[in-house]
C-alpha cells in the first residue's frame, strides 16, 4: 500500500499509509501525516490521489518542500522520492517494505498482487477505452485476486442500483445477473456501508434462512462497498458456488483494500464520462449559437448577426465599431464569407500598424523608381483584393492626407500606384473598422466627414464583453474547448469558482484578453479543471459588490448626467423628461460640483 515514512532526529521513524483521496500533512496531531517539528505550520501540505498518481502540494504559496534535493511547491510523487520538511525526512513508497515475519510477508505479497492489478487498471484508464470496457477489466481483476467463480459491479443510478458488470471466471458476461444476487446480503452492505462476508451461506446463522440464499443455494459471498468521500457509489459482489472454495477473512481484507482504492478510480472514470457527455451537449449547444467563428446568444450580438445576414449579399460599405478585442475582424470576415465575393480574396490592412510614409505604397502599390528602395513594380492591397473584399482595420488611425486618396479610390473605383500617373480600375468591396468615436474625431479635425459618410453607410456596433451577459461564459467554454485541442491540453473544463470569476470580471480587453488568459492557463495548469487562480482572476481584480442603496445612487447620478448631456445641459427639460421636480436636478448639480458622493 502506498505510504510515507517520516523520520525525525531523536524520534525514530513512523510509517503512514496513504489510503485517502486527500492526505493532510502538518505539525498538528489532527493531520493524517504528522511532522514532529514545532516550526512547521499546523497545516503544511496535502497529498491528493486522483486515481492515477499521488500529487503533493503545499497549502500556502510561501511554503516549500525539498524533493530529491530541489525546492518544490507541487510535485508528482514517484517510488523512492526523498522529501525534507523542516527537520523531518520523508520517503515515499508505492508499496510497503516486506516485513521480516513469513506470515506477514505472505500477506504483503497478496496485497502487492492486488495493488499491481489496481495499478494496471489505473494505467488503462488514461488510454482510449470506454468506461464499460474499463469496468469489465476491473471485475476480471477482482475475480482473479479473490479466486471467485463470478463477480458483479453494482453502481447507484440516482436512488436505484444497477448491475453494470457481471463476469465469470472465464471472463464472460453473465446473463440475468440480478437474479443471481442475494438481496439480503446486498441490503446489509448498503445499510452498514461495511464489508460483509458469508463464508458458508447455507450454514450461516444470519443468512441461511434468507429466501435469496436458499433460492440461489449460495456457498460463499463477499460484498464490499465502494465509497468516495463517504458517498456510497455502489458495491463489488463476488461469489463462489463450490463448498471447496469458501472465502476467508483474508480474502475479504484484500478485496476491501482493493475496493477502497478502486472507488476513487471508478469515481474519476464516471466523472470523465460525465464531463465528456457535458462536452458533447456543450458542443451541440454551441453549434446552435455559432455564427461562423463568432459565438453568442445575447440580444445585442444577435442584432449584429441579423444585420450581417442582410448586408452580406450586397456591396454596401460597412463600418464596424467597438472596443479593442470585440471581434471586429471576425465580423468583417463573416460578411465576406456570406457575400457573392466569398471565393475571391479577403485582404486586411491595419492602418495604424504601418508607418505613414509606407502606408500609401501598401494601399495602392508603387512603380519602379518611385522612391528609394522601389526596385520593381509592386501592387498594393487594393489590387490584391480585386474581385473580393478589402478590410481597412483601425481606419481612425489613417493620416488625413491618405484619407483624401482613399475617398477618391472609393468614389472612382480606381487607384494610381505611387510614382505612376495612370489609374487602374478596381472592383472591390470596402469594409472598415475602428475603436475610435469617428464623429468626435471629425469634430476635432482628425477625420474627414465625407470619408466617414462613404464608409459608414451601415454601422455595425459590437458590444463589449461585459455587456453580453451569459455570453461571457459561453465564449469562455467555446474558446477553452478550441484551445485545449490545439495545445493538446488535459484540461477538461472550468471549476464552479472559475465560472463565477469569469462572470464577475469586467474584461477590459474583451475577447482578446479572454483568449490570452485561457491560453496561458491551458499551458501552465496542473489540474483538469481550471480555477480562478489559473486564469489569474483573483478577488482583488474583481469589481466590488456594492450595497444595493449605493448601487442605486451611483446609477441615478450617472443617469441624470446622461440625460443632461442629451438635453445640452437644459435642467428644466431634463427634470421634465425624468418626471422629477426641477429642484432635484439643481441639488444634483450642486453636489456634483462639490464632489459629494451621494445623490439625495
Amino acid at each position: 500500500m502506498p505510504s510515507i515514512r517520516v523520520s525525525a532526529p531523536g524520534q525514530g521513524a513512523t510509517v503512514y499509509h496513504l489510503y485517502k483521496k486527500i492526505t493532510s500533512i502538518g505539525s498538528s496531531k489532527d493531520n493524517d501525516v504528522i511532522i514532529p517539528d514545532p516550526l512547521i505550520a499546523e497545516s503544511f501540505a496535502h497529498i491528493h490521489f486522483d486515481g492515477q498518481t499521488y500529487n503533493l502540494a503545499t497549502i500556502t504559496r510561501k511554503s516549500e518542500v525539498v524533493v530529491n534535493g530541489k525546492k518544490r511547491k507541487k510535485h508528482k510523487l514517484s517510488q523512492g522520492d526523498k522529501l525534507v520538511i523542516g527537520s523531518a525526512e520523508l520517503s515515499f513508497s508505492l508499496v510497503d517494505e516486506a516485513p521480516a515475519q513469513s506470515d506477514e510477508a505472505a500477506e504483503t505479497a497478496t496485497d502487492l498482487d492486488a495493488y499491481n492489478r489496481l495499478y494496471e487498471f489505473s494505467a488503462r484508464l488514461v488510454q482510449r477505452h470506454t468506461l464499460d470496457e474499463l469496468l469489465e477489466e476491473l471485475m476480471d481483476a477482482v475475480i482473479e485476486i479473490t479466486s471467485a467463480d463470478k463477480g458483479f459491479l453494482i453502481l447507484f443510478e440516482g436512488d436505484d442500483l444497477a448491475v453494470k458488470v457481471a463476469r465469470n471466471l472465464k471472463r464472460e458476461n453473465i446473463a440475468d445477473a440480478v437474479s443471481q444476487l442475494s438481496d439480503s446480503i446486498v441490503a446489509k452492505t448498503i445499510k452498514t456501508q461495511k464489508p460483509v462476508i458469508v463464508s458458508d451461506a447455507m450454514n450461516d446463522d444470519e443468512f441461511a434462512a434468507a429466501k435469496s440464499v436458499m433460492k440461489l443455494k449460495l456457498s460463499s459471498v463477499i460484498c464490499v462497498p465502494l465509497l468516495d468521500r463517504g458517498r456510497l457509489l455502489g458495491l463489488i459482489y463476488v461469489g463462489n458456488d463450490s463448498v471447496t472454495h469458501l472465502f476467508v477473512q483474508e480474502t475479504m481484507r484484500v478485496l476491501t483494500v482493493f475496493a477502497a482504492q478502486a472507488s476513487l478510480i471508478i469515481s474519476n472514470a464516471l466523472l470523465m464520462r460525465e464531463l465528456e457527455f457535458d462536452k458533447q451537449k456543450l458542443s451541440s449547444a454551441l453549434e446552435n449559437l455559432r455564427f461562423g467563428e463568432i459565438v453568442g446568444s445575447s440580444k445585442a450580438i444577435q442584432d449584429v448577426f441579423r444585420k450581417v445576414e442582410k448586408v452580406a449579399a450586397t456591396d454596401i460599405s460597412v463600418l464596424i465599431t467597438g472596443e479593442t478585442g470585440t471581434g471586429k475582424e471576425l465580423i468583417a470576415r463573416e460578411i465576406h464569407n456570406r457575400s457573392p465575393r466569398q471565393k475571391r480574396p479577403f485582404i486586411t490592412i491595419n492602418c495604424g500598424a504601418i508607418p505613414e510614409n509606407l502606408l500609401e505604397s501598401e494601399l495602392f502599390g508603387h512603380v519602379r523608381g518611385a522612391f528609394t528602395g522601389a526596385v520593381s513594380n509592386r501592387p498594393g492591397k487594393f489590387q490584391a483584393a480585386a474581385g473580393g473584399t478589402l478590410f481597412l482595420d483601425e481606419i481612425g488611425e489613417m493620416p488625413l492626407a491618405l484619407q483624401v486618396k482613399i475617398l477618391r479610390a472609393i468614389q472612382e473605383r480606381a487607384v494610381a500606384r505611387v510614382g505612376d500617373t495612370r489609374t487602374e480600375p478596381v472592383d472591390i468591396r470596402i469594409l472598415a473598422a475602428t475603436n475610435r468615436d469617428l464623429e468626435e474625431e471629425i469634430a476635432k479635425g482628425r477625420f474627414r466627414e465625407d470619408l466617414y459618410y462613404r464608409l459608414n453607410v451601415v454601422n455595425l456596433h459590437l458590444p463589449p464583453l461585459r455587456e453580453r451577459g451569459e455570453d461571457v461564459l459561453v465564449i469562455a467554454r467555446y474558446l477553452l474547448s478550441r484551445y485545449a485541442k490545439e495545445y493538446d491540453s488535459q484540461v477538461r473544463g472550468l471549476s464552479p469558482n472559475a465560472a463565477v470569476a469569469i462572470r464577475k470580471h469586467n474584461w477590459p480587453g474583451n475577447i482578446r484578453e479572454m483568449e490570452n488568459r485561457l491560453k496561458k492557463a491551458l499551458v501552465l495548469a496542473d489540474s483538469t479543471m481550471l480555477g480562478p487562480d489559473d486564469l489569474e482572476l483573483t478577488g482583488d481584480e474583481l469589481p466590488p459588490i456594492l450595497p444595493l442603496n449605493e448601487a442605486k445612487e451611483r446609477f441615478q447620478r450617472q443617469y441624470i448626467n446622461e440625460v443632461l448631456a442629451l438635453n445640452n445641459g437644459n435642467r428644466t427639460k431634463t427634470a421634465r423628461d425624468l418626471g422629477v421636480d426641477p429642484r432635484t436636478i439643481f441639488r444634483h448639480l450642486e453636489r456634483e460640483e462639490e464632489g459629494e458622493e451621494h445623490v439625495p
Side-chain angles (χ1 to χ4, degrees):
M1 186 174 188
S3 62
I4 286 282
R5 181 186 180 91
V6 180
S7 302
Q11 299 190 39
T14 304
V15 176
Y16 297 90
H17 292 291
L18 307 181
Y19 61 91
K20 293 184 174 181
K21 187 171 184 179
I22 296 179
T23 301
S24 59
I25 302 173
S27 60
S28 170
K29 293 183 179 180
D30 295 330
N31 289 289
D32 301 311
V33 176
I34 301 170
I35 306 297
D37 186 341
L39 298 179
I40 294 300
E42 291 185 356
S43 296
F44 182 80
H46 67 260
I47 297 173
H48 174 223
F49 178 63
D50 61 8
Q52 303 169 34
T53 58
Y54 287 86
N55 300 285
L56 172 72
T58 58
I59 300 296
T60 65
R61 293 185 177 182
K62 294 182 180 179
S63 302
E64 293 180 328
V65 179
V66 178
V67 182
N68 301 326
K70 295 182 179 180
K71 292 182 179 180
R72 294 282 188 269
K73 298 181 187 299
K74 296 181 180 179
H75 180 69
K76 182 169 73 175
L77 293 170
S78 301
Q79 171 69 24
D81 277 348
K82 303 296 182 184
L83 301 86
V84 176
I85 299 177
S87 60
E89 297 181 354
L90 294 77
S91 59
F92 172 75
S93 178
L94 280 170
V95 294
D96 290 337
E97 297 177 4
Q101 294 87 346
S102 59
D103 56 340
E104 291 184 1
E107 180 180 297
T108 302
T110 304
D111 287 354
L112 180 58
D113 183 49
Y115 275 102
N116 280 337
R117 297 194 180 280
L118 184 62
Y119 178 77
E120 291 171 3
F121 175 71
S122 301
R124 292 189 187 103
L125 183 62
V126 301
Q127 299 175 2
R128 297 187 182 276
H129 291 285
T130 66
L131 177 62
D132 292 339
E133 290 174 333
L134 288 166
L135 297 182
E136 286 179 359
E137 290 176 6
L138 172 64
M139 287 312 301
D140 289 339
V142 166
I143 290 171
E144 192 169 343
I145 290 169
T146 59
S147 300
D149 293 329
K150 54 194 172 186
F152 306 85
L153 179 65
I154 309 163
L155 296 178
F156 273 101
E157 291 184 344
D159 295 329
D160 300 322
L161 285 172
V163 179
K164 290 298 183 183
V165 182
R167 303 281 279 182
N168 61 24
L169 192 58
K170 296 180 181 180
R171 300 196 171 197
E172 299 169 335
N173 291 322
I174 301 174
D176 196 20
V178 176
S179 65
Q180 301 192 39
L181 300 173
S182 167
D183 294 339
S184 52
I185 294 174
V186 168
K188 181 176 180 180
T189 308
I190 293 173
K191 181 179 180 180
T192 62
Q193 295 194 7
K194 292 182 179 179
V196 173
I197 180 171
V198 184
S199 294
D200 186 356
M202 299 302 293
N203 297 305
D204 187 88
D205 293 339
E206 182 178 357
F207 294 103
K211 290 183 180 179
S212 58
V213 171
M214 291 188 292
K215 179 183 177 181
L216 296 171
K217 297 180 181 180
L218 298 176
S219 293
S220 193
V221 173
I222 297 177
C223 189
V224 298
L226 292 166
L227 297 168
D228 178 33
R229 291 169 289 186
R231 179 172 64 98
L232 185 62
L233 296 176
L235 311 166
I236 289 179
Y237 180 111
V238 292
N240 271 331
D241 295 333
S242 173
V243 294
T244 60
H245 293 93
L246 300 179
F247 292 129
V248 295
Q249 289 289 333
E250 177 59 26
T251 309
M252 185 181 75
R253 190 187 69 81
V254 171
L255 182 57
T256 302
V257 174
F258 187 99
Q261 298 298 315
S263 64
L264 300 178
I265 298 172
I266 291 172
S267 177
N268 282 345
L270 291 172
L271 177 61
M272 287 176 66
R273 185 175 69 173
E274 184 178 342
L275 287 172
E276 189 62 33
F277 180 66
D278 287 345
K279 181 181 177 182
Q280 291 173 0
K281 287 201 302 182
L282 177 62
S283 297
S284 177
L286 283 173
E287 283 303 314
N288 295 329
L289 297 175
R290 280 184 61 180
F291 190 79
E293 291 298 313
I294 313 154
V295 176
S297 62
S298 65
K299 182 181 182 304
I301 200 67
Q302 287 292 325
D303 287 343
V304 172
F305 294 165
R306 281 190 288 272
K307 286 184 179 179
V308 168
E309 288 180 328
K310 290 180 178 180
V311 303
T314 71
D315 262 354
I316 201 167
S317 296
V318 178
L319 179 65
I320 307 166
T321 58
E323 295 179 7
T324 299
T326 50
K328 294 188 287 293
E329 184 173 345
L330 289 178
I331 287 291
R333 286 185 180 277
E334 199 57 33
I335 292 173
H336 172 76
N337 291 338
R338 293 170 182 264
S339 76
R341 297 175 179 268
Q342 60 179 305
K343 295 182 180 179
R344 304 298 295 169
F346 177 84
I347 304 297
T348 298
I349 183 166
N350 189 324
C351 302
I354 300 173
E356 183 176 347
N357 60 330
L358 298 179
L359 185 55
E360 183 178 1
S361 173
E362 284 291 319
L363 285 167
F364 306 122
H366 60 256
V367 295
R368 181 180 178 182
F371 50 84
T372 303
V375 296
S376 62
N377 294 341
R378 181 176 176 274
K381 299 294 185 182
F382 270 80
Q383 292 91 337
T389 303
L390 177 62
F391 176 50
L392 302 173
D393 198 9
E394 302 302 342
I395 188 70
E397 309 287 336
M398 180 172 286
L400 276 170
L402 269 180
Q403 292 178 27
V404 178
K405 296 182 179 180
I406 287 285
L407 177 62
R408 185 181 300 118
I410 296 173
Q411 290 174 332
E412 298 176 1
R413 303 181 71 85
V415 296
R417 302 190 189 197
V418 176
D420 198 354
T421 57
R422 295 170 299 173
T423 59
E424 305 173 51
V426 287
D427 173 25
I428 60 173
R429 180 182 191 171
I430 298 290
L431 301 177
T434 182
N435 61 1
R436 292 191 177 191
D437 183 341
L438 291 188
E439 291 186 356
E440 185 179 325
E441 294 295 297
I442 291 169
K444 294 179 179 179
R446 293 198 290 256
F447 200 85
R448 292 185 62 92
E449 186 174 14
D450 46 5
L451 177 58
Y452 171 72
Y453 287 117
R454 276 287 180 180
L455 297 174
N456 192 34
V457 178
V458 172
N459 177 255
L460 293 179
H461 180 71
L462 300 190
L465 204 50
R466 61 184 173 275
E467 294 178 6
R468 290 181 57 179
E470 285 301 307
D471 277 1
V472 173
L473 205 52
V474 172
I475 293 168
R477 287 175 171 152
Y478 169 72
L479 293 175
L480 176 65
S481 174
R482 173 181 168 183
Y483 292 127
K485 187 181 297 183
E486 182 178 328
Y487 294 127
D488 195 24
S489 172
Q490 298 301 312
V491 173
R492 292 292 177 266
L494 300 166
S495 72
N497 287 339
V500 171
I502 286 171
R503 285 193 188 99
K504 287 186 175 181
H505 187 58
N506 201 40
W507 297 108
N510 293 295
I511 297 171
R512 191 170 297 139
E513 177 191 352
M514 182 179 283
E515 286 180 326
N516 290 342
R517 287 182 184 270
L518 285 170
K519 287 178 181 179
K520 183 177 180 180
L522 285 169
V523 172
L524 300 179
D526 297 320
S527 173
T528 55
M529 302 293 284
L530 292 184
D533 288 344
D534 295 313
L535 297 168
E536 296 181 346
L537 294 177
T538 62
D540 293 340
E541 295 176 347
L542 300 179
I545 298 176
L546 301 173
L548 187 57
N549 285 339
E550 186 177 343
K552 286 180 179 178
E553 290 172 357
R554 282 198 179 187
F555 173 77
Q556 180 178 327
R557 186 170 64 252
Q558 180 182 344
Y559 191 60
I560 290 174
N561 288 336
E562 289 176 358
V563 178
L564 274 166
L566 287 173
N567 291 328
N568 296 318
N570 189 318
R571 304 173 186 183
T572 304
K573 188 175 186 309
T574 298
R576 188 167 57 248
D577 289 345
L578 295 175
V580 298
D581 190 289
R583 287 174 294 181
T584 301
I585 306 301
F586 288 118
R587 286 196 296 268
H588 163 76
L589 291 172
E590 287 173 0
R591 282 172 171 75
E592 287 287 296
E593 291 173 0
E594 294 170 3
E596 291 186 12
E597 286 294 321
H598 299 284
V599 176

